[in-house]
Every structure is written in structure tokens, then in C-alpha cells.
Amino acid sequence: MFTKVSKKQSTFRILLIIGILFAAFNLRPAITSVGPIIGMIRDHVGMANWSVGLLTTLPLIAFAFMSPLVPRIARHYSNERVLSWGLMILVIGIGIRSLSYMISLFLGTLLVGIGISICNVLLPGIVKEKYPTKVGLMTSVYSTAMGLFAAIASGLSVPLAIGLDLGWQMTLLVWIIPAILGSFIWFYLSKKNRAQNNVDVAFISSSKRMWRSPLAWQVACYMGLQSFLFYVTISWLPEILHDISGMNMTTAGWMLSLLQLLGLPASFLIPVMAGRMRSQRSIVIILSICSIGGFLGLLFGTSMWMTVLSIVLLGVTLGGTFALALSFLAMRAKHANEAAELSGMAQSIGYLLAALGPVFIGFLHDVSDSWTAPLLMLIIISILVLLFGLGAARDRYVFDDVP
């Protein structure tokens, strides 16, 4: 009997890791696959530039408004079950978005954002609950998987749409495959894990109490401002390189892919390092120096070597700060449900700021007719990331100072 139970437990653990990986696979490709072919979508459907921009902004807005609601839903039905629902919503959204109608594009994009936001919020809590002594390692695993698939999605969009002549519809529809597989895996896990669905219910905190925690606000602002930098960079880096350095758009696009790939080692190593430290302030400082140096390099550098150095620094900092922010969601909480509450709050603020970032930086560029003011603003934001990160990196829990 002991052997049979052990085999079942081992199989469940392996499947749980696979489930976490498949959930991570789906956190960005449905968004990062849009940018390279957004012009093709605009021309085919007959949209204006401002309206086609909503295809990248709508998911972030959905993240902001859904994130506080997800922990409350999961409290009643379990993290595993709600995460499987999130992946199912993502499947439906990707399918609807791939139709050749403007209304289906917007509706599908909104559903994509809702589905991803559910997974975004619940994964840190699941990691905290299932791997309480290996939070850093498991966060490294899923944040690296997420970054890898984001970079792959960006790189494959044009080759699939034009090289294989699939068109933008089928190119976007390709990413329904990992979403379907992930939803099946998590549906099975939710059925097998019913006995543990109500763990820690007695210790669940109210959302109002979380919003009164100074440490929770520091974590949330760190998450928000680093997300601001990431989505601004993803949106505007090719244009910045083209205008400042005279780089052609094809090369500038490859530079964006290189930046995302360079972030993968940092996204894996930093959570592991952070998990071994009582305070993560040294990591925060190093990443902030890389961020400031990277944007300064874009501002003042016109040579290719300076541009490449800036890309390396920004790749390290953007991959590292996001992974560290995910680590804070688990490290600053005492248990899984508390981590889910903190995750909901932090990601709500984070993605609201991220949604405003590309628009605000674009507005600064329009007003100043140069990239100087936008890049100076990104340096200021990098300094704010440092300040909030120093607070979030303290060896404390979110409710230590909240009555």
C-alpha cells in the first residue's frame, strides 16, 4: 500500500510541476505575439492606429481590474479550480480574437486579459502553498518559462504570418494549443486536490486589511513601476533605436527579441538567490543600477557597442525585476491565501500602471518631438523602482505592522 501511495503522490507532484509550467507558458504569448503583426491586423480589419493600440492595452486594463477579484473567487472554489477556469477563458478569448471582425478582436482580447490575469494572480499562491520551502526555485522555473515563451511568440509571429502564409488569424490562433493543454492539466489537478481546497481558510485576511499594509504598498509599487518599464520598453524600444541610432526596423525588432532572451538567466537566477537571503536589498540595488545605466546608454549612446550594452543591461534588469517582484509576492506573505491577496493587490496596481506607461511615454514623445524627455522619465521611474524595492526587500511580512 505504501508503494502505491508513494507512486500516486510522485505522479501528482510531477503533474503539478508540468501544470505550473503550462500555466507559465500562457502568461505572455497571447500578448507578445500581437505586436510584430499589429500593422497587418490594422490594415486587414480597417482600424485606426489609436484603436489598434487597444489590442495591447486592453489585456493590461483587464489585469488591473480582475487582479483584486481573483483571490476572493479562489477562496470559495480553490486556486487549482479557478486557475483551470482562467485557462479555459483564455482558450475562448484566443479563439474569438482570431475571427476577422473588429468586435471579435476587442471581445477576444478582453477575455484573453481576464484569463491571463487569473493565472497571474494565482500562481504565486500555488507555489507558496505547494512548495513553501522552495519558493525561490519554483518562481525561477515558472518566470523563466514565461519569459522564454514570450520571446518565442514575438519571434515567430512574422515568420508564421508571412513566411508560412498563415495570416494574422492563424498566427494568433496557434497560441490556443498550450492554453488548451494547460486547461486540461489544471482541471485534472483540481479534481485530484479537492481534499486540500480549504487549507488556511481560517487565516485569510480581508482585502481592506491588505490595502492598509505599508509593506504591501511597497511591493505593489515595485511591481507596478517595473511593469511600467517593461511594457514601455516592449512597446517603444524599436522606435527609439530607429530614431536615435538610425537602426533599421528589422534589426531593431531583433534587438527587442535579444533583450527578452537576455532576461531569461536573470529571471531564473534571481529568485533562487533571493530565496536564500533574509533581505534582498543588494539585488534591488544592482538591478536598479543596470536599469539606470541601460536607459542612459540609450539616451547618450549612438555607437553600436553602446546600444548593445544598453540592451544587455535592460535585458538583465527587466528580466530580473519581474522575477524579483514575483518572489516578493510569496516571500512577504506567511501562507498561500495571504500570498494570493498580496498578488491580487500588487498586480492590480502593477498592470494599471503598465497600461498607462506606453501611452504616457508616447504622449511625451509627441509633445517634445524627441526621445530625450521620455528616456529621462524612464530614468526617474528606475529611481522610484529602487526606492520602493528597498522597502519591499525587507525581511518582514505584510501584516506585521497592521492591527
Side-chain angles (χ1 to χ4, degrees):
M1 179 180 295
F2 178 79
T3 303
K4 291 182 179 179
V5 172
S6 296
K7 286 183 178 179
K8 288 182 179 179
Q9 290 176 341
S10 177
T11 301
F12 181 83
R13 285 291 180 181
I14 292 172
L15 191 59
L16 180 61
I17 293 174
I18 295 173
I20 290 172
L21 287 174
F22 266 89
F25 291 161
N26 287 286
L27 291 181
R28 279 187 182 168
I31 299 175
T32 59
S33 60
V34 174
I37 56 174
I38 200 167
M40 187 183 302
I41 298 172
R42 177 197 61 209
D43 296 340
H44 185 269
V45 182
M47 303 169 68
N49 281 315
W50 70 266
S51 60
V52 79
L54 290 175
L55 296 180
T56 54
T57 301
L58 269 179
L60 303 180
I61 296 174
F63 293 175
F65 287 97
M66 278 297 299
S67 294
L69 302 178
V70 174
R72 302 179 188 179
I73 300 172
R75 191 179 305 160
H76 294 288
Y77 299 102
S78 87
N79 290 338
E80 292 81 6
R81 187 183 300 183
V82 176
L83 194 144
S84 71
W85 295 347
L87 289 168
M88 292 176 191
I89 293 171
L90 178 59
V91 169
I92 296 170
I94 293 174
I96 293 175
R97 188 181 62 175
S98 300
L99 303 176
S100 300
Y101 303 99
M102 189 179 300
I103 188 170
S104 64
L105 268 173
F106 290 132
L107 176 59
T109 298
L110 182 61
L111 291 175
V112 163
I114 292 173
I116 295 176
S117 69
I118 293 173
C119 301
N120 267 335
V121 171
L122 294 181
L123 268 181
I126 289 173
V127 168
K128 179 71 173 181
E129 178 183 356
K130 305 300 182 183
Y131 303 95
T133 62
K134 298 179 180 179
V135 169
L137 176 61
M138 292 306 299
T139 301
S140 293
V141 169
Y142 88 75
S143 63
T144 302
M146 178 179 60
L148 177 61
F149 264 63
I152 291 173
S154 295
L156 286 181
S157 286
V158 174
L160 288 175
I162 299 176
L164 295 182
D165 198 27
L166 294 181
W168 66 265
Q169 297 98 326
M170 289 301 298
T171 297
L172 295 183
L173 192 61
V174 163
W175 300 105
I176 203 172
I177 297 172
I180 290 173
L181 293 174
S183 65
F184 280 132
I185 292 171
W186 279 101
F187 179 77
Y188 176 82
L189 288 172
S190 68
K191 293 294 185 181
K192 290 295 182 181
N193 202 48
R194 279 185 174 180
Q196 300 178 22
N197 281 349
N198 295 320
V199 171
D200 287 331
V201 168
F203 302 96
I204 293 176
S205 60
S206 68
S207 295
K208 291 182 179 179
R209 190 177 178 215
M210 182 65 71
W211 288 77
R212 293 200 306 268
S213 168
L215 180 56
W217 273 100
Q218 289 165 343
V219 172
C221 289
Y222 185 80
M223 168 69 80
L225 292 173
Q226 68 81 26
S227 296
F228 184 105
L229 293 177
F230 175 81
Y231 284 101
V232 166
T233 304
I234 292 298
S235 300
W236 291 114
L237 180 64
E239 291 290 335
I240 293 172
L241 295 177
H242 176 71
D243 293 347
I244 293 181
S245 304
M247 190 177 292
N248 65 64
M249 291 302 294
T250 301
T251 304
W254 280 112
M255 284 291 181
L256 179 58
S257 296
L258 176 63
L259 180 145
Q260 294 181 73
L261 290 172
L262 288 170
L264 295 182
S267 69
F268 182 83
L269 293 173
I270 284 177
V272 175
M273 295 167 57
R276 296 174 179 176
M277 300 176 176
R278 294 180 63 85
S279 170
Q280 295 77 35
R281 287 186 167 185
S282 59
I283 298 178
V284 169
I285 292 171
I286 292 171
L287 290 176
S288 296
I289 291 173
C290 290
S291 179
I292 294 169
F295 289 119
L296 281 172
L298 292 179
L299 181 61
F300 296 111
T302 55
S303 63
M304 179 56 73
W305 75 266
M306 181 63 78
T307 299
V308 172
L309 177 60
S310 298
I311 295 300
V312 171
L313 291 174
L314 291 176
V316 170
T317 191
L318 294 177
T321 52
F322 181 72
L324 184 60
L326 291 178
S327 300
F328 285 156
L329 299 181
M331 292 177 179
R332 303 287 86 92
K334 290 183 178 179
H335 52 79
N337 290 304
E338 195 173 283
E341 288 281 356
L342 177 59
S343 179
M345 174 191 173
Q347 297 199 52
S348 174
I349 294 172
Y351 288 113
L352 185 60
L353 286 172
L356 295 174
V359 177
F360 177 62
I361 294 301
F363 172 75
L364 284 181
H365 176 57
D366 288 339
V367 170
S368 64
D369 196 28
S370 76
W371 287 107
T372 300
L375 287 171
L376 287 174
M377 178 56 66
L378 294 178
I379 292 170
I380 293 173
I381 297 296
S382 298
I383 295 171
L384 292 176
V385 170
L386 169 63
L387 296 177
F388 283 110
L390 291 175
R394 292 175 297 156
D395 182 26
R396 299 186 64 82
Y397 295 111
V398 287
F399 292 141
D400 284 351
D401 299 325
V402 181

